[in-house]
Amino acid sequence: MPINVNKPYLPDIKKYHKYLDQIWQNNHLTNFGPLACALEEKLQEFLGVPNLLFVSNGTIALQIAYKLAGLKKDDKIITTPFSFVATTNTLLWEGLNPVFCDIDPKSFCIDTNKILPLLTTETKAILPVHVFGNACDVKALQTIAKKHNLKVIYDGAHAFGVKYEGKSIFEYGDFSTLSFHATKLFHTIEGGLVIAKDEAMIAEAKKMINFGLENSLPSALGINAKNSEFHAAMGLCVLEDLDFITQERQKIWEYYHQHLKDDFALQSLQADNNNHHYFPILFEEESALQKALLKLNEADIFPRRYFYPSLNTLKHHHTNVTCPISEDICSRILCLPIYVGLDQTTQDKIIRILK
Ligand code: T4K
């Protein structure tokens, strides 16, 4: 069996069956069913944020957040070039203009010192990413946003369970979004979450994700971004096992750290806690990465170049700017396999090849 960068966590199938029994009894398969509501309640408690909405994926969660923030076609949005392509895709898909701000070479998050020169009267929001679950400089972002009357929307796809200065990372900013894709540390197979500071925004979002219907009548523009009871059931099962999942990931993360910290540069963490979602390492140069990747692949091990290339360089995005730090990090970064069930013998093999 190949060793991939990650392997979705599957709970005990008997647990999932119990929820399936409930779905069969209720005959309520989707459209805000009881399991989706139960999952939202549990997530409110777990994440420590009251205003949230379960949606069909992390990509549409971003698009809903842009609508809620009142962003309009051609508005300029300051964002990071170091992320999964969905972050920029969603802006362009919505007719918004991404303005790339380079990243901090240590945290890999947006460099808040480089935002001010990029602001114009057309700038309406900032879209930073808590990369690999690392917290952005949320305080600096808050100050800039307040002074320049900008919305802050955090792409928190990787930041499940992260805290900053004693609070949930999702208490910062106007909106945050998460991905609950199968490859995430908490998942619902496919799924996502919209979190808002303002409670009224969630009522608005609930209409938006259900065709704009209100009391079954179309009252505003909307789309279908609901999620199903089957997805919610998976989320309820995975949430029950989260302590186990995080402990296992922590062990794997610490083992890599112990053996690789002197050989590779690692991301500097600036949140209160580490959710051990990813284990990125930085090579000194791209050629060394390519050589290591080849050797690992020959051994049936498939780490991933998250994130490559830097999003500002994508031709079909037509943005045409340079972000030297992001481009450099993208060329040298590799995310190692990390998932529940990865055994130490395999980790030893990975470490040996890398060394
Ligand atoms: N913002 C950020 C910052 C994100 O990272 C993402 C998604 C989003 C927004 C958008 O959220 P979603 O709309 O996806 O909810 C994967 C995930 O599909 C994607 O969710 C994630 N970020 C991204 C970082 O990673 P790929 O293209 O690398 O996926 P794939 O299919 O190559 O899978 C990765 C590895 O996992 C493979 O080596 C095989 C393994 N795998 C995967 C699946 C789906 C399995 O073993 N079983 C499986 O069922 O994007």
Side-chain angles (χ1 to χ4, degrees):
M1 281 286 271
I3 304 299
N4 291 319
V5 66
N6 57 50
K7 181 173 173 185
Y9 177 78
L10 282 172
D12 182 349
I13 198 163
K14 290 194 208 82
K15 253 194 210 175
Y16 193 62
H17 271 154
K18 279 200 186 152
Y19 285 111
L20 291 185
D21 286 342
Q22 286 184 39
I23 298 174
W24 256 249
Q25 259 172 20
N26 298 334
N27 209 14
H28 195 155
L29 310 191
T30 185
N31 292 10
F32 313 107
L35 296 182
C37 295
L39 179 65
E40 285 180 343
E41 262 177 46
K42 289 206 155 64
L43 288 173
Q44 284 169 334
E45 197 185 328
F46 186 88
L47 298 174
V49 279
N51 308 318
L52 51 78
L53 185 68
F54 181 42
V55 299
S56 43
N57 58 62
T59 302
I60 198 82
L62 283 167
Q63 290 168 252
I64 297 294
Y66 307 154
K67 297 274 186 225
L68 293 171
L71 303 181
K72 303 265 174 350
K73 192 171 174 302
D74 296 331
D75 283 349
K76 290 195 169 152
I77 317 299
I78 306 285
T79 189
T80 170
F82 186 70
S83 184
F84 190 56
V85 69
T87 311
T88 310
N89 274 353
T90 48
L91 290 173
L92 292 165
W93 199 267
E94 292 296 332
L96 301 165
N97 281 326
V99 175
F100 289 110
C101 174
D102 212 345
I103 57 167
D104 175 80
K106 292 199 160 30
S107 70
F108 309 157
C109 293
I110 199 163
D111 185 342
T112 52
N113 295 315
K114 295 188 175 148
I115 293 179
L116 288 186
L118 300 173
L119 299 180
T120 68
T121 50
E122 293 158 298
T123 313
K124 297 292 184 253
I126 312 177
L127 173 67
V129 179
H130 299 303
V131 183
F132 305 136
N134 198 15
C136 295
D137 188 345
V138 289
K139 290 280 168 67
L141 286 160
Q142 202 164 300
T143 308
I144 296 168
K146 199 167 168 200
K147 186 157 178 217
H148 298 275
N149 195 24
L150 304 171
K151 298 281 184 202
V152 182
I153 302 161
Y154 286 107
D155 181 341
H158 310 160
F160 193 84
V162 171
K163 292 206 160 71
Y164 188 82
E165 295 200 349
K167 297 201 289 192
S168 166
I169 192 76
F170 304 123
E171 282 195 48
Y172 298 89
D174 298 283
F175 302 95
S176 295
T177 62
L178 275 116
S179 164
F180 294 162
H181 183 260
T183 52
K184 297 292 185 281
L185 89 100
F186 167 78
H187 79 89
T188 61
I189 311 170
E190 288 277 359
L193 202 69
V194 178
I195 296 171
K197 189 186 270 176
D198 177 359
E199 190 181 355
M201 286 290 150
I202 294 299
E204 204 54 39
K206 205 165 172 179
K207 270 193 277 171
M208 269 183 199
I209 68 162
N210 189 29
F211 316 102
L213 295 176
E214 193 170 11
N215 300 323
S216 302
L217 291 172
S219 69
L221 193 61
I223 199 162
N224 182 2
K226 294 170 270 101
N227 213 330
S228 83
E229 291 292 275
F230 296 81
H231 294 81
M234 180 59 79
L236 288 164
C237 293
V238 176
L239 202 56
E240 279 174 37
D241 293 350
L242 209 71
D243 282 348
F244 167 71
I245 296 170
T246 46
Q247 279 161 21
E248 290 299 297
R249 282 180 164 275
Q250 181 170 359
K251 270 193 247 161
I252 297 164
W253 195 98
E254 283 173 358
Y255 195 72
Y256 276 141
H257 189 260
Q258 181 192 340
H259 292 278
L260 296 174
K261 67 177 188 314
D262 298 328
D263 301 278
F264 295 91
L266 305 176
Q267 184 182 29
S268 306
L269 300 174
Q270 50 196 24
D272 294 359
N273 59 326
N274 176 353
N275 68 2
H276 307 106
H277 200 327
Y278 292 89
F279 196 92
I281 57 171
L282 261 190
F283 287 79
E284 276 184 13
E285 47 195 39
E286 189 171 14
S287 58
L289 178 150
Q290 285 164 336
K291 201 168 144 197
L293 193 54
L294 202 67
K295 290 272 171 222
L296 288 162
N297 289 173
E298 279 167 13
D300 229 7
I301 298 164
F302 299 93
R304 273 297 176 86
R305 295 186 74 175
Y306 293 140
F307 295 105
Y308 176 83
S310 188
L311 297 173
N312 58 298
T313 65
L314 290 180
K315 294 246 173 344
H316 63 278
H317 282 175
H318 308 291
T319 46
N320 213 13
V321 289
T322 54
C323 294
I325 310 275
S326 175
E327 288 167 40
D328 174 48
I329 301 283
C330 286
S331 73
R332 299 188 286 122
I333 198 161
L334 192 65
C335 283
L336 301 185
I338 181 165
Y339 53 80
V340 175
L342 183 71
D343 60 60
Q344 215 173 76
T345 316
T346 309
Q347 272 196 286
D348 284 333
K349 194 169 167 186
I350 295 170
I351 292 164
R352 209 168 42 244
I353 295 174
L354 287 170
K355 280 177 179 269

